[in-house]
Amino acid sequence: TERGSKKREANLGDPDPVSKLASTSSTVTIQLKQIPDNYSNVPPFQLSNEEQKQMEQLLNEPVGEPNGLLHKANPPGSNVVMGLAAYPKNMGCWKRLVGSLRNSGYDGHIIFGVHKEIPQDEQDYLKEMDVTSYIVDFVDCDSSVLGGEAKGGSAAVRGKCAKGIEKLNLEWGRYEMARQWLNACDTCTGWSLVMDTRDLFFQADPFASLPPPKEAKQDLLFIEEIAKHTSPLDDPKRWFKLGNARFMSRVGPCYGRSTFKAYAERPVLCSGTVIGTRRGMHRFLSVLVGEFYSNNQKKNKNCKSPGMTDQWNMNYLYYNGKFGEYGRTKTIPWGTGPVMTIGHPCINKNIPNPNHSQKDMIVFDKETGLIRNNWETDDSKARIAPVVHQFDRCHKWIHPWFSRHGDLFNTVPTLAWK
């Protein structure tokens, strides 16, 4: 489905950007919506004086040196994209991930954790694309940090740790890796993106629509999932609000449920794409990792992995104000800004299984066929969604789409600085 959309571009230099939503379609009925001028998603709770001191202590703690440097790149840009992609054979992912990013013209840092047995051709490709890589050696976790046995597909990230970070499983430890990588990168002084790697690709430079970090009033940006105030369809089953069974079943047994009502209707924030300046990202990673370590010291096994997951722990921390600096922390509404999260919109619980791979809420650009941000204007730098995340829930249509847009991934760009 291709639709037009109208919205004034949100300016991160403005603490209260306006988002006016409108859309038309010949195939579905769209609920016209408007985000109020003073839209904000400020946490309903704030830090106490004691909690503020504890956060400041976390931020001042020394950051460890990263393990396993395989190759150090030297791109000219100051922005950085980071993630864990330690799969034994991963060339398809590298081309989709790194190829699409470099083909966008991005000249900043790319830092990945890679498998210790990464094939030579993949190493060569990453070097050619000027990627910094660190070997991640999987080891058994310290027995004190597991609250139970991780089973199924989650066992790989929730049941194993990385050498040197044995008290955080891989799901949690990847944030400590990113904290160490960022700290070790002296020239990573611009924007940072900490991201998932398996289900993400780029259509444009992820930071092109953001102001220079020194001019931005916010230094930490969370990405909202689709919500009541941003959904093209007036259907609660297609929204992703925090008052859901998964959040309550993961977080309640550890933290209790006393604060849930205050943010039950708020949008879920995605832990797989978080953006910040160097300072803001350090704050995010230090607070999140600090909470992981704190939970691992608790007697309540429900606070540990695999019961507690990064996604729901991060949401609990945000809505309880634990990241502090409320004037410098912001959530970006779905369908706007650097990241378009398409996973939930691709699922329609109103129809029988398989209910994935829907595209009635996805907007494709009429000229290029690329995936658009629903609520960005034609003159916006984020009109074509720079980052597309969670495409794996849309596989029936996304793989044919990949075939039609192979130029995004398969072309090996010549880097001007090499």
PDB file of all heavy atoms in Angstrom, residues 319-344:
ATOM      1  N   TYR A 319      10.471   4.484  32.352  1.00  0.00           N
ATOM      2  CA  TYR A 319       9.210   5.037  32.864  1.00  0.00           C
ATOM      3  C   TYR A 319       9.244   5.277  34.362  1.00  0.00           C
ATOM      4  O   TYR A 319       8.395   6.001  34.894  1.00  0.00           O
ATOM      5  CB  TYR A 319       8.045   4.146  32.455  1.00  0.00           C
ATOM      6  CG  TYR A 319       7.681   4.327  30.997  1.00  0.00           C
ATOM      7  CD1 TYR A 319       7.935   3.331  30.055  1.00  0.00           C
ATOM      8  CD2 TYR A 319       7.123   5.518  30.551  1.00  0.00           C
ATOM      9  CE1 TYR A 319       7.626   3.513  28.717  1.00  0.00           C
ATOM     10  CE2 TYR A 319       6.808   5.713  29.217  1.00  0.00           C
ATOM     11  CZ  TYR A 319       7.062   4.712  28.302  1.00  0.00           C
ATOM     12  OH  TYR A 319       6.755   4.912  26.976  1.00  0.00           O
ATOM     13  N   ASN A 320      10.210   4.729  35.044  1.00  0.00           N
ATOM     14  CA  ASN A 320      10.407   5.053  36.461  1.00  0.00           C
ATOM     15  C   ASN A 320      11.486   6.116  36.643  1.00  0.00           C
ATOM     16  O   ASN A 320      11.944   6.349  37.769  1.00  0.00           O
ATOM     17  CB  ASN A 320      10.723   3.792  37.258  1.00  0.00           C
ATOM     18  CG  ASN A 320       9.479   2.954  37.517  1.00  0.00           C
ATOM     19  OD1 ASN A 320       8.767   3.173  38.486  1.00  0.00           O
ATOM     20  ND2 ASN A 320       9.199   1.997  36.630  1.00  0.00           N
ATOM     21  N   GLY A 321      11.887   6.740  35.562  1.00  0.00           N
ATOM     22  CA  GLY A 321      12.765   7.903  35.623  1.00  0.00           C
ATOM     23  C   GLY A 321      14.218   7.621  35.915  1.00  0.00           C
ATOM     24  O   GLY A 321      14.970   8.540  36.253  1.00  0.00           O
ATOM     25  N   LYS A 322      14.650   6.376  35.758  1.00  0.00           N
ATOM     26  CA  LYS A 322      15.983   5.996  36.225  1.00  0.00           C
ATOM     27  C   LYS A 322      17.128   6.511  35.351  1.00  0.00           C
ATOM     28  O   LYS A 322      18.281   6.502  35.788  1.00  0.00           O
ATOM     29  CB  LYS A 322      16.087   4.470  36.336  1.00  0.00           C
ATOM     30  CG  LYS A 322      15.029   3.834  37.243  1.00  0.00           C
ATOM     31  CD  LYS A 322      15.105   4.346  38.669  1.00  0.00           C
ATOM     32  CE  LYS A 322      14.119   3.593  39.558  1.00  0.00           C
ATOM     33  NZ  LYS A 322      14.132   4.094  40.959  1.00  0.00           N
ATOM     34  N   PHE A 323      16.823   6.962  34.120  1.00  0.00           N
ATOM     35  CA  PHE A 323      17.886   7.504  33.281  1.00  0.00           C
ATOM     36  C   PHE A 323      18.112   9.002  33.535  1.00  0.00           C
ATOM     37  O   PHE A 323      19.049   9.578  32.997  1.00  0.00           O
ATOM     38  CB  PHE A 323      17.576   7.266  31.802  1.00  0.00           C
ATOM     39  CG  PHE A 323      17.612   5.819  31.413  1.00  0.00           C
ATOM     40  CD1 PHE A 323      16.438   5.126  31.136  1.00  0.00           C
ATOM     41  CD2 PHE A 323      18.814   5.131  31.347  1.00  0.00           C
ATOM     42  CE1 PHE A 323      16.466   3.784  30.793  1.00  0.00           C
ATOM     43  CE2 PHE A 323      18.855   3.788  31.009  1.00  0.00           C
ATOM     44  CZ  PHE A 323      17.676   3.107  30.730  1.00  0.00           C
ATOM     45  N   GLY A 324      17.266   9.590  34.375  1.00  0.00           N
ATOM     46  CA  GLY A 324      17.468  10.978  34.789  1.00  0.00           C
ATOM     47  C   GLY A 324      17.463  11.974  33.645  1.00  0.00           C
ATOM     48  O   GLY A 324      17.056  11.676  32.530  1.00  0.00           O
ATOM     49  N   GLU A 325      17.897  13.193  33.956  1.00  0.00           N
ATOM     50  CA  GLU A 325      18.040  14.278  32.981  1.00  0.00           C
ATOM     51  C   GLU A 325      16.857  14.326  32.020  1.00  0.00           C
ATOM     52  O   GLU A 325      16.994  14.203  30.804  1.00  0.00           O
ATOM     53  CB  GLU A 325      19.365  14.138  32.231  1.00  0.00           C
ATOM     54  CG  GLU A 325      20.565  14.216  33.160  1.00  0.00           C
ATOM     55  CD  GLU A 325      21.855  14.571  32.429  1.00  0.00           C
ATOM     56  OE1 GLU A 325      21.787  15.299  31.422  1.00  0.00           O
ATOM     57  OE2 GLU A 325      22.913  14.131  32.897  1.00  0.00           O
ATOM     58  N   TYR A 326      15.681  14.574  32.568  1.00  0.00           N
ATOM     59  CA  TYR A 326      14.428  14.462  31.823  1.00  0.00           C
ATOM     60  C   TYR A 326      14.342  15.459  30.677  1.00  0.00           C
ATOM     61  O   TYR A 326      13.744  15.174  29.643  1.00  0.00           O
ATOM     62  CB  TYR A 326      13.255  14.608  32.786  1.00  0.00           C
ATOM     63  CG  TYR A 326      13.434  13.750  34.015  1.00  0.00           C
ATOM     64  CD1 TYR A 326      13.783  14.308  35.243  1.00  0.00           C
ATOM     65  CD2 TYR A 326      13.331  12.364  33.925  1.00  0.00           C
ATOM     66  CE1 TYR A 326      14.002  13.511  36.357  1.00  0.00           C
ATOM     67  CE2 TYR A 326      13.552  11.559  35.029  1.00  0.00           C
ATOM     68  CZ  TYR A 326      13.891  12.130  36.240  1.00  0.00           C
ATOM     69  OH  TYR A 326      14.124  11.339  37.322  1.00  0.00           O
ATOM     70  N   GLY A 327      14.940  16.622  30.828  1.00  0.00           N
ATOM     71  CA  GLY A 327      14.925  17.603  29.760  1.00  0.00           C
ATOM     72  C   GLY A 327      15.825  17.246  28.598  1.00  0.00           C
ATOM     73  O   GLY A 327      15.679  17.787  27.500  1.00  0.00           O
ATOM     74  N   ARG A 328      16.759  16.327  28.818  1.00  0.00           N
ATOM     75  CA  ARG A 328      17.706  15.926  27.776  1.00  0.00           C
ATOM     76  C   ARG A 328      17.438  14.515  27.248  1.00  0.00           C
ATOM     77  O   ARG A 328      18.197  13.997  26.429  1.00  0.00           O
ATOM     78  CB  ARG A 328      19.144  16.022  28.297  1.00  0.00           C
ATOM     79  CG  ARG A 328      19.554  17.447  28.675  1.00  0.00           C
ATOM     80  CD  ARG A 328      21.027  17.542  29.019  1.00  0.00           C
ATOM     81  NE  ARG A 328      21.889  17.150  27.905  1.00  0.00           N
ATOM     82  CZ  ARG A 328      22.178  17.927  26.861  1.00  0.00           C
ATOM     83  NH1 ARG A 328      21.639  19.126  26.764  1.00  0.00           N
ATOM     84  NH2 ARG A 328      22.991  17.502  25.914  1.00  0.00           N
ATOM     85  N   THR A 329      16.352  13.921  27.733  1.00  0.00           N
ATOM     86  CA  THR A 329      15.987  12.569  27.315  1.00  0.00           C
ATOM     87  C   THR A 329      14.630  12.624  26.621  1.00  0.00           C
ATOM     88  O   THR A 329      13.706  13.258  27.130  1.00  0.00           O
ATOM     89  CB  THR A 329      15.925  11.628  28.525  1.00  0.00           C
ATOM     90  OG1 THR A 329      17.176  11.658  29.212  1.00  0.00           O
ATOM     91  CG2 THR A 329      15.612  10.209  28.109  1.00  0.00           C
ATOM     92  N   LYS A 330      14.505  11.965  25.487  1.00  0.00           N
ATOM     93  CA  LYS A 330      13.299  12.095  24.672  1.00  0.00           C
ATOM     94  C   LYS A 330      12.945  10.758  24.044  1.00  0.00           C
ATOM     95  O   LYS A 330      13.821   9.933  23.774  1.00  0.00           O
ATOM     96  CB  LYS A 330      13.552  13.135  23.575  1.00  0.00           C
ATOM     97  CG  LYS A 330      12.397  13.366  22.620  1.00  0.00           C
ATOM     98  CD  LYS A 330      12.769  14.419  21.606  1.00  0.00           C
ATOM     99  CE  LYS A 330      11.627  14.614  20.605  1.00  0.00           C
ATOM    100  NZ  LYS A 330      10.394  15.027  21.258  1.00  0.00           N
ATOM    101  N   THR A 331      11.650  10.525  23.805  1.00  0.00           N
ATOM    102  CA  THR A 331      11.222   9.380  23.010  1.00  0.00           C
ATOM    103  C   THR A 331      10.699   9.889  21.674  1.00  0.00           C
ATOM    104  O   THR A 331       9.990  10.889  21.610  1.00  0.00           O
ATOM    105  CB  THR A 331      10.141   8.554  23.734  1.00  0.00           C
ATOM    106  OG1 THR A 331       8.927   9.300  23.824  1.00  0.00           O
ATOM    107  CG2 THR A 331      10.605   8.158  25.134  1.00  0.00           C
ATOM    108  N   ILE A 332      11.077   9.209  20.598  1.00  0.00           N
ATOM    109  CA  ILE A 332      10.713   9.604  19.242  1.00  0.00           C
ATOM    110  C   ILE A 332       9.483   8.817  18.803  1.00  0.00           C
ATOM    111  O   ILE A 332       9.499   7.580  18.784  1.00  0.00           O
ATOM    112  CB  ILE A 332      11.871   9.321  18.258  1.00  0.00           C
ATOM    113  CG1 ILE A 332      13.150  10.021  18.715  1.00  0.00           C
ATOM    114  CG2 ILE A 332      11.485   9.763  16.846  1.00  0.00           C
ATOM    115  CD1 ILE A 332      13.071  11.514  18.744  1.00  0.00           C
ATOM    116  N   PRO A 333       8.373   9.487  18.458  1.00  0.00           N
ATOM    117  CA  PRO A 333       7.152   8.777  18.050  1.00  0.00           C
ATOM    118  C   PRO A 333       7.366   7.897  16.832  1.00  0.00           C
ATOM    119  O   PRO A 333       8.145   8.227  15.930  1.00  0.00           O
ATOM    120  CB  PRO A 333       6.172   9.921  17.737  1.00  0.00           C
ATOM    121  CG  PRO A 333       6.671  11.088  18.523  1.00  0.00           C
ATOM    122  CD  PRO A 333       8.171  10.951  18.509  1.00  0.00           C
ATOM    123  N   TRP A 334       6.656   6.782  16.814  1.00  0.00           N
ATOM    124  CA  TRP A 334       6.707   5.850  15.686  1.00  0.00           C
ATOM    125  C   TRP A 334       6.326   6.573  14.395  1.00  0.00           C
ATOM    126  O   TRP A 334       5.458   7.438  14.364  1.00  0.00           O
ATOM    127  CB  TRP A 334       5.746   4.693  15.926  1.00  0.00           C
ATOM    128  CG  TRP A 334       5.724   3.678  14.826  1.00  0.00           C
ATOM    129  CD1 TRP A 334       6.533   2.595  14.699  1.00  0.00           C
ATOM    130  CD2 TRP A 334       4.844   3.651  13.694  1.00  0.00           C
ATOM    131  NE1 TRP A 334       6.217   1.891  13.556  1.00  0.00           N
ATOM    132  CE2 TRP A 334       5.185   2.522  12.918  1.00  0.00           C
ATOM    133  CE3 TRP A 334       3.802   4.483  13.267  1.00  0.00           C
ATOM    134  CZ2 TRP A 334       4.519   2.200  11.738  1.00  0.00           C
ATOM    135  CZ3 TRP A 334       3.138   4.163  12.086  1.00  0.00           C
ATOM    136  CH2 TRP A 334       3.498   3.044  11.340  1.00  0.00           C
ATOM    137  N   GLY A 335       7.012   6.192  13.320  1.00  0.00           N
ATOM    138  CA  GLY A 335       6.710   6.797  12.024  1.00  0.00           C
ATOM    139  C   GLY A 335       7.399   8.120  11.792  1.00  0.00           C
ATOM    140  O   GLY A 335       7.113   8.809  10.809  1.00  0.00           O
ATOM    141  N   THR A 336       8.317   8.499  12.677  1.00  0.00           N
ATOM    142  CA  THR A 336       9.081   9.727  12.538  1.00  0.00           C
ATOM    143  C   THR A 336      10.535   9.443  12.899  1.00  0.00           C
ATOM    144  O   THR A 336      10.845   8.457  13.562  1.00  0.00           O
ATOM    145  CB  THR A 336       8.556  10.854  13.452  1.00  0.00           C
ATOM    146  OG1 THR A 336       8.880  10.557  14.823  1.00  0.00           O
ATOM    147  CG2 THR A 336       7.052  11.018  13.332  1.00  0.00           C
ATOM    148  N   GLY A 337      11.422  10.327  12.483  1.00  0.00           N
ATOM    149  CA  GLY A 337      12.803  10.282  12.943  1.00  0.00           C
ATOM    150  C   GLY A 337      13.676   9.228  12.294  1.00  0.00           C
ATOM    151  O   GLY A 337      13.352   8.674  11.238  1.00  0.00           O
ATOM    152  N   PRO A 338      14.790   8.914  12.925  1.00  0.00           N
ATOM    153  CA  PRO A 338      15.807   8.051  12.308  1.00  0.00           C
ATOM    154  C   PRO A 338      15.419   6.591  12.119  1.00  0.00           C
ATOM    155  O   PRO A 338      15.953   5.931  11.235  1.00  0.00           O
ATOM    156  CB  PRO A 338      17.000   8.166  13.278  1.00  0.00           C
ATOM    157  CG  PRO A 338      16.774   9.438  14.020  1.00  0.00           C
ATOM    158  CD  PRO A 338      15.286   9.551  14.155  1.00  0.00           C
ATOM    159  N   VAL A 339      14.513   6.059  12.958  1.00  0.00           N
ATOM    160  CA  VAL A 339      14.254   4.614  12.956  1.00  0.00           C
ATOM    161  C   VAL A 339      12.777   4.322  12.712  1.00  0.00           C
ATOM    162  O   VAL A 339      11.910   4.905  13.359  1.00  0.00           O
ATOM    163  CB  VAL A 339      14.690   3.973  14.284  1.00  0.00           C
ATOM    164  CG1 VAL A 339      14.423   2.464  14.270  1.00  0.00           C
ATOM    165  CG2 VAL A 339      16.166   4.239  14.570  1.00  0.00           C
ATOM    166  N   MET A 340      12.506   3.409  11.803  1.00  0.00           N
ATOM    167  CA  MET A 340      11.159   2.904  11.560  1.00  0.00           C
ATOM    168  C   MET A 340      11.115   1.443  12.006  1.00  0.00           C
ATOM    169  O   MET A 340      11.782   0.577  11.416  1.00  0.00           O
ATOM    170  CB  MET A 340      10.819   3.012  10.072  1.00  0.00           C
ATOM    171  CG  MET A 340       9.446   2.470   9.699  1.00  0.00           C
ATOM    172  SD  MET A 340       8.112   3.371  10.522  1.00  0.00           S
ATOM    173  CE  MET A 340       6.721   2.882   9.516  1.00  0.00           C
ATOM    174  N   THR A 341      10.366   1.162  13.064  1.00  0.00           N
ATOM    175  CA  THR A 341      10.257  -0.189  13.606  1.00  0.00           C
ATOM    176  C   THR A 341       9.009  -0.827  13.025  1.00  0.00           C
ATOM    177  O   THR A 341       7.889  -0.452  13.370  1.00  0.00           O
ATOM    178  CB  THR A 341      10.192  -0.157  15.137  1.00  0.00           C
ATOM    179  OG1 THR A 341      11.295   0.612  15.641  1.00  0.00           O
ATOM    180  CG2 THR A 341      10.255  -1.556  15.710  1.00  0.00           C
ATOM    181  N   ILE A 342       9.181  -1.808  12.139  1.00  0.00           N
ATOM    182  CA  ILE A 342       8.043  -2.340  11.392  1.00  0.00           C
ATOM    183  C   ILE A 342       7.542  -3.679  11.915  1.00  0.00           C
ATOM    184  O   ILE A 342       6.568  -4.225  11.392  1.00  0.00           O
ATOM    185  CB  ILE A 342       8.387  -2.469   9.891  1.00  0.00           C
ATOM    186  CG1 ILE A 342       9.524  -3.472   9.662  1.00  0.00           C
ATOM    187  CG2 ILE A 342       8.728  -1.106   9.305  1.00  0.00           C
ATOM    188  CD1 ILE A 342       9.800  -3.745   8.186  1.00  0.00           C
ATOM    189  N   GLY A 343       8.169  -4.207  12.968  1.00  0.00           N
ATOM    190  CA  GLY A 343       7.793  -5.531  13.454  1.00  0.00           C
ATOM    191  C   GLY A 343       6.347  -5.649  13.878  1.00  0.00           C
ATOM    192  O   GLY A 343       5.602  -6.506  13.390  1.00  0.00           O
ATOM    193  N   HIS A 344       5.917  -4.781  14.790  1.00  0.00           N
ATOM    194  CA  HIS A 344       4.542  -4.875  15.289  1.00  0.00           C
ATOM    195  C   HIS A 344       3.520  -4.545  14.207  1.00  0.00           C
ATOM    196  O   HIS A 344       2.486  -5.227  14.114  1.00  0.00           O
ATOM    197  CB  HIS A 344       4.365  -3.976  16.510  1.00  0.00           C
ATOM    198  CG  HIS A 344       3.330  -4.483  17.472  1.00  0.00           C
ATOM    199  ND1 HIS A 344       3.564  -5.527  18.346  1.00  0.00           N
ATOM    200  CD2 HIS A 344       2.048  -4.111  17.679  1.00  0.00           C
ATOM    201  CE1 HIS A 344       2.473  -5.767  19.056  1.00  0.00           C
ATOM    202  NE2 HIS A 344       1.540  -4.928  18.661  1.00  0.00           N
TER     203      HIS A 344
END
